[in-house]
Amino acid sequence: MVQKDAWSSFIRGTFGPLRRQKTLNLGWVNYFPKEFVQNGMPEELEAIGVTVEPFAEGYILQLGPSLGDVKTDFRTFSELRHQAKGVLGRERFVIEEEPLLTG
């Protein structure tokens, strides 16, 4: 079926993903292309405590000062990830909510 859809797209001259692409979740460090982190988002992310660094054709996002903090204080990491998803758009993630915060 996917092959048939791909051939159909080729004949029509349309290219791109066959389905809406999503990212599973935010990790402690993430790389996203510039199209994903749109105007104003870097400043909003930095305002909530996410480190945003331009890199190549996109941005590296770091949620917290140390990877060890994820283990020692997961709740704070989870809260920051929840806020960051709010800026980036929850619909872009397979896991939209934080179980610790909603359960």
Side-chain angles (χ1 to χ4, degrees):
M1 186 64 169
V2 171
Q3 191 174 19
K4 181 182 174 189
D5 288 344
W7 181 248
S8 175
S9 293
F10 179 76
I11 291 172
R12 289 190 313 250
T14 58
F15 298 95
L18 296 176
R19 292 172 185 77
R20 183 157 185 220
Q21 294 180 332
K22 287 188 171 192
T23 298
L24 181 63
N25 207 349
L26 281 174
W28 175 69
V29 171
N30 311 268
Y31 174 81
F32 293 110
K34 288 182 181 176
E35 300 79 38
F36 196 96
V37 182
Q38 299 168 356
N39 294 337
M41 285 183 181
E43 295 80 14
E44 287 183 64
L45 290 165
E46 288 177 335
I48 62 171
V50 175
T51 302
V52 180
E53 292 291 330
F55 182 79
E57 296 298 317
Y59 295 96
I60 294 177
L61 310 180
Q62 182 177 324
L63 282 72
S66 166
L67 180 57
D69 293 342
V70 175
K71 182 178 180 181
T72 59
D73 189 5
F74 186 77
R75 184 164 194 82
T76 299
F77 168 76
S78 185
E79 288 172 358
L80 181 58
R81 182 164 60 182
H82 176 76
Q83 292 175 9
K85 286 180 192 176
V87 173
L88 295 167
R90 293 184 202 294
E91 70 282 354
R92 294 176 157 186
F93 298 92
V94 174
I95 301 172
E96 294 181 10
E97 296 298 333
E98 291 294 308
L100 279 179
L101 303 177
T102 59

XYZ file of all heavy atoms in Angstrom:
828
model
N 0.827 -1.202 0.000
C 0.000 0.000 0.000
C 0.870 1.264 0.000
O 0.600 2.203 -0.727
C -0.924 -0.035 1.218
C -1.915 1.086 1.253
S -3.029 0.939 -0.145
C -4.237 2.109 0.269
N 1.906 1.265 0.847
C 2.799 2.430 0.908
C 3.465 2.643 -0.438
O 3.569 3.764 -0.917
C 3.841 2.267 2.037
C 4.890 3.350 1.963
C 3.161 2.281 3.400
N 3.904 1.558 -1.063
C 4.554 1.663 -2.360
C 3.589 2.246 -3.399
O 3.956 3.090 -4.200
C 5.057 0.295 -2.799
C 5.969 0.357 -4.005
C 6.563 -0.991 -4.324
O 6.038 -2.020 -3.888
N 7.644 -1.007 -5.069
N 2.324 1.819 -3.364
C 1.310 2.335 -4.284
C 1.105 3.838 -4.049
O 1.048 4.619 -4.987
C -0.001 1.583 -4.094
C -1.096 2.048 -5.025
C -2.384 1.302 -4.757
C -3.495 1.882 -5.597
N -4.792 1.343 -5.238
N 1.010 4.263 -2.779
C 0.851 5.684 -2.454
C 2.059 6.494 -2.919
O 1.915 7.595 -3.426
C 0.657 5.875 -0.950
C -0.707 5.420 -0.469
O -1.613 5.247 -1.314
O -0.859 5.231 0.751
N 3.258 5.931 -2.742
C 4.472 6.632 -3.158
C 4.494 6.815 -4.671
O 4.846 7.876 -5.173
C 5.701 5.871 -2.678
N 4.111 5.771 -5.413
C 4.086 5.869 -6.874
C 3.051 6.899 -7.320
O 3.292 7.696 -8.208
C 3.789 4.503 -7.476
C 3.762 4.525 -8.983
C 2.685 4.338 -9.772
C 4.866 4.776 -9.856
N 3.030 4.449 -11.087
C 4.364 4.721 -11.185
C 6.208 5.051 -9.674
C 5.178 4.929 -12.296
C 7.019 5.259 -10.784
C 6.500 5.189 -12.077
N 1.905 6.913 -6.663
C 0.866 7.879 -6.992
C 1.360 9.307 -6.779
O 1.116 10.186 -7.587
C -0.376 7.611 -6.141
O -1.348 8.586 -6.362
N 2.085 9.532 -5.691
C 2.635 10.860 -5.418
C 3.647 11.255 -6.489
O 3.704 12.402 -6.907
C 3.322 10.882 -4.045
O 2.371 10.717 -3.034
N 4.443 10.294 -6.933
C 5.433 10.569 -7.967
C 4.751 10.989 -9.265
O 5.147 11.950 -9.904
C 6.312 9.329 -8.190
C 7.331 9.526 -9.264
C 8.473 10.272 -9.024
C 7.147 8.970 -10.520
C 9.415 10.466 -10.019
C 8.081 9.157 -11.520
C 9.219 9.901 -11.276
N 3.694 10.275 -9.652
C 2.983 10.583 -10.896
C 2.355 11.979 -10.831
O 2.404 12.741 -11.780
C 1.910 9.510 -11.186
C 2.590 8.184 -11.544
C 0.977 9.949 -12.301
C 1.631 7.013 -11.648
N 1.766 12.328 -9.676
C 1.134 13.646 -9.513
C 2.147 14.764 -9.337
O 1.809 15.938 -9.416
C 0.209 13.632 -8.300
C -1.051 12.826 -8.480
C -2.008 13.072 -7.324
N -1.314 12.998 -6.042
C -1.473 12.030 -5.141
N -2.320 11.065 -5.370
N -0.796 12.029 -4.018
N 3.390 14.399 -9.042
C 4.416 15.416 -8.846
C 4.436 15.978 -7.436
O 4.976 17.057 -7.203
N 3.834 15.292 -6.493
C 3.861 15.750 -5.103
C 4.822 14.866 -4.317
O 4.822 13.642 -4.466
C 2.468 15.675 -4.457
O 2.001 14.335 -4.521
C 1.485 16.594 -5.161
N 5.635 15.491 -3.516
C 6.605 14.749 -2.729
C 6.504 15.176 -1.279
O 6.102 16.283 -0.978
C 8.023 14.995 -3.240
C 8.221 14.530 -4.650
C 8.079 15.406 -5.710
C 8.506 13.210 -4.912
C 8.253 14.986 -7.006
C 8.672 12.767 -6.214
C 8.551 13.653 -7.264
N 6.888 14.291 -0.411
C 6.850 14.588 1.010
C 6.433 13.347 1.769
O 6.186 12.293 1.181
N 6.336 13.458 3.083
C 5.947 12.289 3.874
C 4.509 11.876 3.573
O 3.658 12.710 3.289
C 6.096 12.765 5.323
C 6.070 14.249 5.254
C 6.571 14.632 3.905
N 4.263 10.572 3.639
C 2.921 10.064 3.381
C 2.004 10.270 4.575
O 0.797 10.291 4.438
C 2.985 8.573 3.044
C 3.739 8.240 1.761
C 3.821 6.736 1.575
C 3.068 8.891 0.565
N 2.596 10.374 5.757
C 1.810 10.576 6.965
C 2.402 11.745 7.741
O 3.554 12.086 7.566
C 1.851 9.323 7.828
C 1.111 8.177 7.172
C 1.326 6.886 7.928
N 0.717 5.778 7.247
C 1.195 5.169 6.184
N 2.299 5.575 5.645
N 0.570 4.159 5.640
N 1.614 12.321 8.605
C 2.096 13.428 9.421
C 3.181 12.912 10.366
O 2.947 12.002 11.143
C 0.952 14.020 10.236
C 1.398 15.208 11.022
C 0.250 16.090 11.366
N 0.798 17.267 12.009
C 0.270 17.853 13.034
N -0.858 17.425 13.512
N 0.825 18.901 13.565
N 4.356 13.489 10.283
C 5.468 13.026 11.092
C 5.405 13.624 12.491
O 5.069 14.786 12.661
C 6.786 13.391 10.434
C 7.005 12.665 9.138
C 8.318 13.045 8.486
O 8.818 14.130 8.674
N 8.865 12.127 7.731
N 5.736 12.788 13.479
C 5.773 13.224 14.861
C 7.071 12.757 15.496
O 7.671 11.780 15.057
C 4.606 12.639 15.663
C 3.265 13.250 15.344
C 2.231 12.753 16.323
C 0.938 13.508 16.177
N 0.038 13.246 17.296
N 7.472 13.455 16.530
C 8.615 13.075 17.342
C 8.060 12.377 18.574
O 7.059 12.821 19.131
C 9.414 14.337 17.734
O 9.891 14.943 16.530
C 10.567 14.010 18.630
N 8.702 11.307 19.010
C 8.190 10.545 20.133
C 8.065 11.407 21.388
O 6.998 11.543 21.960
C 9.069 9.330 20.414
C 8.585 8.459 21.565
C 7.230 7.854 21.263
C 9.600 7.376 21.872
N 9.154 12.007 21.817
C 9.145 12.785 23.053
C 10.353 13.698 23.063
O 11.197 13.628 22.174
C 9.150 11.852 24.268
C 8.509 12.461 25.497
O 8.217 13.643 25.544
N 8.269 11.640 26.496
N 10.449 14.549 24.054
C 11.639 15.375 24.235
C 12.583 14.681 25.201
O 12.165 14.259 26.282
C 11.260 16.742 24.826
C 10.695 17.774 23.886
C 10.242 19.002 24.663
C 11.707 18.173 22.842
N 13.835 14.569 24.823
C 14.855 14.041 25.707
C 15.582 15.182 26.393
O 15.220 16.352 26.262
N 16.636 14.847 27.089
C 17.413 15.887 27.767
C 18.085 16.803 26.740
O 18.122 18.009 26.910
C 18.447 15.245 28.696
C 19.343 16.238 29.335
C 19.001 17.164 30.280
C 20.720 16.438 29.077
N 20.093 17.927 30.626
C 21.170 17.487 29.897
C 21.632 15.818 28.237
C 22.485 17.940 29.901
C 22.936 16.263 28.240
C 23.348 17.311 29.068
N 18.580 16.233 25.627
C 19.145 17.011 24.523
C 18.447 16.585 23.247
O 18.234 15.394 23.015
C 20.672 16.801 24.388
C 21.204 17.441 23.119
C 21.404 17.363 25.585
N 18.099 17.568 22.403
C 17.352 17.304 21.175
C 17.888 18.172 20.053
O 18.317 19.307 20.294
C 15.869 17.653 21.363
C 15.301 17.051 22.621
O 14.769 15.966 22.591
N 15.429 17.733 23.752
N 17.813 17.673 18.834
C 18.131 18.486 17.658
C 16.893 18.554 16.789
O 16.266 17.536 16.500
C 19.280 17.889 16.837
C 19.501 18.654 15.553
C 20.230 19.836 15.553
C 18.917 18.236 14.366
C 20.397 20.563 14.383
C 19.084 18.955 13.194
C 19.820 20.116 13.209
O 19.976 20.849 12.062
N 16.552 19.779 16.383
C 15.417 19.973 15.487
C 15.823 20.914 14.362
O 16.557 21.881 14.579
C 14.227 20.597 16.225
C 13.622 19.694 17.258
C 13.759 19.966 18.607
C 12.919 18.564 16.885
C 13.204 19.146 19.563
C 12.356 17.723 17.839
C 12.503 18.019 19.176
N 15.327 20.672 13.145
C 15.598 21.596 12.044
C 14.894 22.931 12.279
O 13.967 23.026 13.086
C 15.034 20.874 10.820
C 14.051 19.899 11.355
C 14.494 19.543 12.745
N 15.345 23.947 11.579
C 14.775 25.296 11.745
C 13.273 25.324 11.497
O 12.565 26.111 12.106
C 15.483 26.288 10.826
C 16.877 26.616 11.278
C 17.544 27.638 10.396
C 18.951 27.899 10.912
N 19.694 28.816 10.065
N 12.779 24.467 10.615
C 11.340 24.438 10.328
C 10.530 24.009 11.547
O 9.367 24.363 11.676
C 11.024 23.491 9.168
C 11.683 23.821 7.862
C 13.141 23.386 7.794
O 13.487 22.309 8.315
O 13.940 24.147 7.226
N 11.126 23.231 12.436
C 10.433 22.750 13.628
C 10.407 23.815 14.724
O 9.416 23.978 15.420
C 11.131 21.483 14.143
C 10.316 20.676 15.115
C 9.567 19.604 14.685
C 10.297 20.984 16.463
C 8.820 18.848 15.572
C 9.556 20.245 17.359
C 8.813 19.172 16.917
N 11.501 24.555 14.859
C 11.616 25.608 15.874
C 11.427 26.938 15.152
O 12.352 27.496 14.597
C 12.985 25.548 16.593
C 13.070 26.609 17.670
C 13.221 24.168 17.179
N 10.205 27.415 15.143
C 9.850 28.569 14.333
C 10.116 29.887 15.049
O 10.543 29.905 16.199
C 8.384 28.441 13.918
C 8.145 27.197 13.088
C 6.671 26.896 12.898
O 5.805 27.560 13.447
N 6.374 25.885 12.111
N 9.841 30.986 14.365
C 10.094 32.331 14.882
C 9.527 32.539 16.280
O 8.380 32.211 16.545
C 9.504 33.389 13.942
C 10.206 33.410 12.608
O 11.349 32.988 12.497
N 9.530 33.911 11.596
N 10.342 33.082 17.145
C 9.917 33.384 18.500
C 10.051 32.224 19.470
O 10.124 32.430 20.676
N 10.077 31.003 18.953
C 10.176 29.842 19.840
C 11.493 29.783 20.614
O 11.475 29.461 21.802
C 9.968 28.548 19.069
C 8.542 28.274 18.697
S 8.456 26.664 17.869
C 6.713 26.597 17.526
N 12.648 30.072 19.981
C 13.888 30.026 20.759
C 13.847 30.931 21.990
O 14.252 30.522 23.086
C 14.965 30.470 19.769
C 14.414 30.068 18.435
C 12.925 30.314 18.565
N 13.322 32.119 21.841
C 13.237 33.057 22.968
C 12.266 32.556 24.037
O 12.553 32.665 25.237
C 12.806 34.452 22.474
C 13.814 35.133 21.565
C 13.783 34.646 20.115
O 12.816 33.959 19.712
O 14.749 34.929 19.388
N 11.140 31.993 23.614
C 10.175 31.442 24.575
C 10.769 30.264 25.339
O 10.569 30.144 26.552
C 8.897 30.986 23.857
C 8.016 32.104 23.369
C 6.746 31.557 22.736
O 5.954 30.918 23.466
O 6.564 31.745 21.519
N 11.497 29.412 24.626
C 12.119 28.257 25.272
C 13.185 28.690 26.275
O 13.254 28.170 27.386
C 12.712 27.312 24.220
C 11.693 26.561 23.376
C 12.348 25.952 22.137
C 10.995 25.489 24.195
N 14.006 29.661 25.891
C 15.034 30.157 26.806
C 14.407 30.799 28.035
O 14.937 30.690 29.141
C 15.960 31.122 26.087
C 16.882 30.407 25.115
C 17.775 31.338 24.318
O 17.420 32.529 24.135
O 18.830 30.859 23.864
N 13.274 31.458 27.870
C 12.595 32.112 28.995
C 12.114 31.110 30.044
O 12.023 31.457 31.226
C 11.414 32.944 28.489
N 11.840 29.864 29.637
C 11.387 28.865 30.610
C 12.536 28.006 31.136
O 12.322 27.133 31.971
C 10.261 27.964 30.039
C 10.748 27.167 28.826
C 9.023 28.776 29.723
C 9.767 26.110 28.350
N 13.760 28.239 30.619
C 14.917 27.518 31.142
C 15.526 26.478 30.221
O 16.393 25.716 30.640
N 15.099 26.439 28.963
C 15.678 25.519 27.982
C 16.835 26.236 27.294
O 16.688 27.374 26.858
C 14.627 25.076 26.935
C 15.251 24.215 25.858
C 13.475 24.355 27.612
N 17.985 25.576 27.209
C 19.123 26.131 26.480
C 18.909 25.867 24.996
O 18.642 24.727 24.592
C 20.440 25.475 26.939
O 20.592 25.683 28.339
C 21.629 26.059 26.217
N 19.012 26.913 24.178
C 18.800 26.806 22.732
C 20.066 27.277 22.031
O 20.484 28.421 22.196
C 17.594 27.663 22.281
C 17.382 27.545 20.784
C 16.335 27.275 23.037
N 20.680 26.384 21.257
C 21.903 26.704 20.526
C 21.691 26.452 19.040
O 21.322 25.333 18.657
C 23.065 25.835 21.010
C 23.516 26.118 22.419
C 24.202 27.463 22.581
O 24.835 27.930 21.609
O 24.096 28.035 23.674
N 21.944 27.470 18.194
C 21.892 27.205 16.753
C 22.987 26.201 16.385
O 24.095 26.259 16.912
C 22.188 28.567 16.123
C 21.967 29.558 17.203
C 22.244 28.864 18.491
N 22.650 25.259 15.510
C 23.622 24.265 15.062
C 23.239 23.805 13.663
O 22.105 23.360 13.448
C 23.650 23.072 16.022
C 24.660 22.032 15.639
C 26.001 22.211 15.941
C 24.275 20.902 14.960
C 26.937 21.270 15.578
C 25.208 19.939 14.591
C 26.543 20.124 14.905
N 24.173 23.921 12.741
C 23.956 23.521 11.344
C 22.689 24.202 10.832
O 22.569 25.411 10.898
C 23.916 22.017 11.214
N 21.725 23.435 10.368
C 20.473 23.980 9.823
C 19.329 23.849 10.825
O 18.191 23.583 10.439
C 20.119 23.270 8.518
C 21.120 23.500 7.409
C 21.219 24.974 7.014
O 20.174 25.643 6.900
O 22.352 25.448 6.823
N 19.620 24.021 12.110
C 18.581 23.883 13.118
C 19.052 24.335 14.479
O 19.897 25.220 14.591
N 18.500 23.694 15.504
C 18.798 24.077 16.886
C 18.992 22.835 17.748
O 18.310 21.828 17.568
C 17.627 24.869 17.485
C 17.383 26.189 16.823
C 16.429 26.302 15.817
C 18.081 27.324 17.207
C 16.187 27.519 15.198
C 17.849 28.547 16.592
C 16.905 28.637 15.594
O 16.670 29.837 14.985
N 19.897 22.957 18.717
C 20.029 21.956 19.759
C 19.323 22.517 20.984
O 19.595 23.656 21.402
C 21.506 21.653 20.069
C 22.154 20.991 18.862
C 21.618 20.768 21.311
C 23.622 20.698 19.021
N 18.400 21.746 21.548
C 17.667 22.136 22.753
C 18.131 21.253 23.904
O 18.156 20.037 23.776
C 16.164 21.954 22.564
C 15.521 22.556 21.318
C 14.028 22.281 21.314
C 15.787 24.041 21.244
N 18.489 21.883 25.008
C 18.926 21.140 26.189
C 18.012 21.482 27.349
O 17.879 22.633 27.729
C 20.370 21.500 26.523
C 20.923 20.734 27.696
C 22.382 21.068 27.932
O 23.140 21.290 27.000
N 22.763 21.102 29.190
N 17.399 20.461 27.914
C 16.448 20.643 29.014
C 17.136 20.375 30.348
O 17.107 19.265 30.861
C 15.244 19.703 28.855
C 14.189 20.129 27.839
C 14.667 19.985 26.427
C 12.923 19.346 28.050
N 17.772 21.382 30.879
C 18.431 21.260 32.173
C 19.939 21.276 32.056
O 20.493 20.966 31.006
N 20.609 21.618 33.160
C 22.056 21.769 33.128
C 22.834 20.454 33.067
O 23.928 20.416 32.533
C 22.369 22.522 34.423
C 21.202 22.270 35.309
C 20.022 22.045 34.416
N 22.289 19.370 33.592
C 23.043 18.125 33.669
C 22.133 16.929 33.387
O 21.005 16.870 33.881
C 23.638 17.971 35.071
O 24.102 16.668 35.288
N 22.674 15.969 32.647
C 21.922 14.749 32.384
C 21.617 14.015 33.689
O 20.560 13.412 33.840
C 22.699 13.837 31.435
C 22.053 12.506 31.058
C 20.682 12.729 30.425
C 22.953 11.728 30.116
N 22.500 14.129 34.655
C 22.277 13.504 35.955
C 21.049 14.025 36.665
O 20.435 13.314 37.466
N 20.673 15.272 36.379
C 19.482 15.858 36.995
C 18.212 15.111 36.598
O 17.234 15.109 37.343
C 19.343 17.333 36.614
C 20.442 18.192 37.210
O 21.104 17.747 38.173
O 20.641 19.320 36.708
N 18.223 14.491 35.425
C 17.050 13.727 34.990
C 16.812 12.576 35.966
O 15.680 12.289 36.343
C 17.231 13.196 33.548
C 16.069 12.309 33.140
C 17.396 14.347 32.574
N 17.889 11.949 36.415
C 17.769 10.831 37.351
C 17.482 11.305 38.772
O 16.621 10.749 39.454
C 19.049 10.000 37.337
C 19.000 8.808 38.245
C 20.271 7.991 38.174
C 20.178 6.797 39.114
N 21.391 6.008 39.097
N 18.190 12.345 39.208
C 18.051 12.770 40.601
C 16.803 13.606 40.866
O 16.301 13.620 41.982
C 19.293 13.561 41.065
O 19.459 14.709 40.222
C 20.539 12.692 41.015
N 16.297 14.301 39.835
C 15.111 15.146 40.015
C 14.244 15.072 38.757
O 14.075 16.048 38.042
C 15.524 16.587 40.306
C 14.347 17.467 40.715
O 13.218 16.947 40.859
O 14.556 18.689 40.877
N 13.692 13.891 38.513
C 12.907 13.679 37.296
C 11.679 14.575 37.243
O 11.278 15.024 36.181
C 12.492 12.213 37.148
C 11.805 11.954 35.837
C 12.535 11.859 34.672
C 10.427 11.832 35.774
C 11.912 11.639 33.450
C 9.790 11.610 34.561
C 10.540 11.514 33.395
N 11.093 14.867 38.373
C 9.881 15.701 38.391
C 10.157 17.091 37.797
O 9.376 17.585 36.985
C 9.307 15.823 39.793
C 7.998 16.611 39.805
C 7.234 16.398 41.101
N 5.893 16.870 40.984
C 4.876 16.206 40.444
N 5.065 15.018 39.939
N 3.670 16.714 40.388
N 11.274 17.717 38.170
C 11.617 19.038 37.632
C 11.871 18.946 36.132
O 11.416 19.796 35.363
C 12.849 19.614 38.354
O 12.524 19.745 39.738
C 13.246 20.968 37.797
N 12.586 17.897 35.695
C 12.817 17.682 34.268
C 11.485 17.507 33.538
O 11.266 18.097 32.481
C 13.701 16.447 34.053
C 13.756 16.001 32.622
C 14.508 16.690 31.692
C 13.031 14.895 32.202
C 14.551 16.282 30.368
C 13.064 14.483 30.885
C 13.826 15.173 29.961
N 10.585 16.727 34.116
C 9.290 16.471 33.510
C 8.465 17.759 33.383
O 7.795 17.986 32.372
C 8.535 15.429 34.334
O 7.332 15.060 33.724
N 8.529 18.599 34.395
C 7.811 19.878 34.344
C 8.364 20.777 33.239
O 7.608 21.416 32.503
C 7.889 20.574 35.700
C 7.043 19.896 36.768
C 7.257 20.456 38.169
O 8.107 21.363 38.344
O 6.600 19.966 39.095
N 9.702 20.818 33.117
C 10.312 21.627 32.063
C 9.961 21.062 30.689
O 9.655 21.815 29.757
C 11.829 21.694 32.247
C 12.587 22.534 31.235
C 12.077 23.983 31.225
C 14.078 22.503 31.530
N 9.969 19.750 30.558
C 9.601 19.124 29.284
C 8.148 19.436 28.938
O 7.820 19.717 27.781
C 9.833 17.613 29.366
C 9.519 16.903 28.093
C 10.093 15.521 28.020
N 9.609 14.645 29.072
C 10.019 13.390 29.212
N 10.919 12.880 28.382
N 9.535 12.636 30.168
N 7.273 19.431 29.930
C 5.866 19.781 29.725
C 5.736 21.215 29.187
O 5.003 21.468 28.229
C 5.110 19.628 31.041
C 3.684 20.053 30.992
N 2.694 19.293 30.410
C 3.085 21.177 31.448
C 1.542 19.935 30.507
N 1.745 21.073 31.132
N 6.471 22.141 29.793
C 6.431 23.538 29.346
C 7.018 23.685 27.940
O 6.476 24.431 27.115
C 7.199 24.422 30.323
C 6.546 24.553 31.677
C 7.415 25.345 32.643
O 8.421 25.932 32.273
N 7.013 25.356 33.902
N 8.113 22.976 27.668
C 8.746 23.064 26.347
C 7.818 22.530 25.254
O 7.729 23.112 24.170
C 10.061 22.305 26.346
N 7.111 21.447 25.539
C 6.152 20.916 24.564
C 5.035 21.921 24.306
O 4.514 22.012 23.195
C 5.546 19.604 25.053
C 6.467 18.426 24.976
C 5.734 17.195 25.486
C 6.634 16.042 25.721
N 5.925 14.891 26.297
N 4.674 22.686 25.335
C 3.666 23.720 25.161
C 4.119 24.793 24.178
O 3.330 25.307 23.390
N 5.398 25.110 24.204
C 5.952 26.105 23.277
C 6.075 25.510 21.873
O 5.703 26.144 20.883
C 7.333 26.614 23.769
C 7.987 27.506 22.717
C 7.196 27.345 25.091
N 6.581 24.295 21.777
C 6.820 23.664 20.478
C 5.545 23.150 19.811
O 5.507 22.993 18.595
C 7.809 22.508 20.637
C 9.222 22.905 21.061
C 10.008 21.673 21.487
C 9.926 23.649 19.945
N 4.519 22.870 20.616
C 3.260 22.335 20.100
C 3.115 20.872 20.475
O 3.802 20.014 19.914
N 2.262 20.584 21.422
C 2.087 19.206 21.913
C 1.698 18.230 20.802
O 2.053 17.064 20.839
C 1.029 19.165 23.015
C 1.442 19.872 24.251
C 0.432 19.740 25.368
N 0.593 20.805 26.329
C 1.656 20.956 27.096
N 2.637 20.123 27.024
N 1.745 21.972 27.936
N 0.974 18.726 19.810
C 0.510 17.856 18.728
C 1.674 17.316 17.893
O 1.497 16.382 17.121
C -0.480 18.599 17.828
C 0.123 19.691 16.982
C 0.414 21.002 17.705
O 0.047 21.154 18.888
O 1.031 21.896 17.074
N 2.858 17.857 18.062
C 4.032 17.385 17.322
C 4.676 16.158 17.961
O 5.621 15.617 17.433
C 5.067 18.492 17.238
C 4.612 19.663 16.422
C 5.647 20.738 16.460
N 5.498 21.606 15.311
C 6.327 22.566 15.000
N 7.386 22.766 15.750
N 6.123 23.309 13.953
N 4.171 15.753 19.119
C 4.780 14.661 19.866
C 3.805 13.497 20.008
O 2.613 13.701 20.228
C 5.220 15.140 21.252
C 6.268 16.213 21.174
C 5.906 17.550 21.162
C 7.609 15.883 21.068
C 6.861 18.545 21.058
C 8.573 16.872 20.967
C 8.196 18.204 20.956
N 4.329 12.278 19.917
C 3.512 11.095 20.141
C 3.058 11.083 21.597
O 1.895 10.854 21.893
C 4.297 9.804 19.791
C 3.505 8.567 20.170
C 4.642 9.782 18.304
N 3.986 11.345 22.510
C 3.659 11.448 23.938
C 3.452 12.931 24.227
O 4.410 13.684 24.400
C 4.784 10.848 24.811
C 4.989 9.377 24.451
C 4.452 11.020 26.294
C 6.190 8.730 25.107
N 2.202 13.356 24.267
C 1.890 14.777 24.391
C 1.954 15.274 25.837
O 2.280 16.422 26.082
C 0.497 15.069 23.828
C 0.401 14.836 22.331
C -0.970 15.153 21.777
O -1.806 15.729 22.501
O -1.219 14.807 20.617
N 1.600 14.431 26.794
C 1.520 14.859 28.177
C 2.565 14.152 29.034
O 3.107 13.131 28.640
C 0.114 14.574 28.744
C -0.984 15.348 28.053
C -0.859 16.857 28.175
O -0.276 17.336 29.164
O -1.311 17.548 27.264
N 2.789 14.677 30.211
C 3.711 14.084 31.169
C 2.897 13.296 32.190
O 2.113 13.879 32.933
C 4.509 15.176 31.877
C 5.500 15.879 30.984
C 6.606 14.965 30.525
O 7.247 14.297 31.365
O 6.833 14.888 29.310
N 3.081 11.983 32.243
C 2.301 11.163 33.190
C 2.444 11.609 34.630
O 1.469 11.567 35.378
C 2.875 9.757 32.978
C 3.441 9.785 31.615
C 3.934 11.193 31.390
N 3.619 12.063 35.030
C 3.809 12.516 36.420
C 2.936 13.722 36.739
O 2.528 13.915 37.876
C 5.273 12.911 36.658
C 6.255 11.791 36.944
C 7.653 12.365 37.128
C 5.858 11.002 38.166
N 2.670 14.544 35.744
C 1.923 15.773 35.987
C 0.424 15.595 35.828
O -0.355 16.381 36.349
C 2.410 16.880 35.033
C 3.909 17.196 35.121
C 4.270 18.238 34.088
C 4.288 17.667 36.513
N 0.016 14.572 35.077
C -1.423 14.384 34.825
C -2.019 13.247 35.629
O -3.226 13.125 35.704
C -1.681 14.123 33.316
O -0.963 12.951 32.927
C -1.256 15.302 32.475
N -1.177 12.389 36.194
C -1.682 11.202 36.879
C -1.752 11.346 38.353
O -1.475 12.193 39.053
